[in-house]
Amino acid sequence: QVQLVESGGGSVQAGGSLRLSCAVSGSDFSINTMGWYRQAPGKRRELVAAITSGGITNYADSVKDRFTISRDNAKNTVYLQMTSLKPEDTAVYYCHADVSRGVWRYDYWGQGTQVTVSS
């Protein structure tokens, strides 16, 4: 079984920074794209940022130039550095991993971590 464990959420004032981490554990797997999604109350879950195994990144327009996604393939961990946070960034943030196990590919999600930005 593959598990994703997130850490690093919390509360911060507008303009502040937070760093999220997501570690993938298990056996007999390889990780393809990893990403961060978020869901605010009453809204759909949306992609925040993603990074391929080769390091190619993609960001939502709303977070470009403020958030940075990175990954440590040796540690099977993805990070999201968030700066210049705004109240509209408040949401539950979910880690996602596209994982290969043999010939099959699976989507795995973390449990979610709350990020709250106050004005």
Side-chain angles (χ1 to χ4, degrees):
Q1 185 62 289
V2 173
Q3 290 187 317
L4 279 62
V5 178
E6 303 161 359
S7 60
S11 297
V12 66
Q13 288 193 325
S17 299
L18 285 172
R19 188 190 195 213
L20 306 182
S21 300
C22 173
V24 183
S25 63
S27 60
D28 300 322
F29 68 93
S30 62
I31 306 173
N32 305 306
T33 299
M34 301 185 77
W36 290 94
Y37 290 72
R38 68 186 180 188
Q39 187 167 18
K43 294 189 176 182
R44 288 184 146 183
R45 188 174 296 189
E46 62 175 359
L47 174 68
V48 176
I51 184 167
T52 68
S53 57
I56 297 173
T57 59
N58 180 44
Y59 295 93
D61 288 342
S62 59
V63 306
K64 279 181 182 177
D65 301 322
R66 299 190 298 122
F67 291 9
T68 302
I69 189 170
S70 60
R71 64 191 281 173
D72 185 332
N73 290 330
K75 295 181 178 179
N76 290 332
T77 300
V78 64
Y79 307 95
L80 185 68
Q81 179 68 49
M82 304 184 291
T83 64
S84 301
L85 282 160
K86 304 175 180 180
E88 51 263 43
D89 294 318
T90 295
V92 178
Y93 283 70
Y94 296 91
C95 176
H96 171 264
D98 170 14
V99 172
S100 292
R101 303 186 73 189
V103 299
W104 304 101
R105 291 179 74 155
Y106 301 88
D107 289 312
Y108 289 96
W109 294 90
Q111 78 281 7
T113 185
Q114 177 70 46
V115 171
T116 302
V117 184
S118 58
S119 58

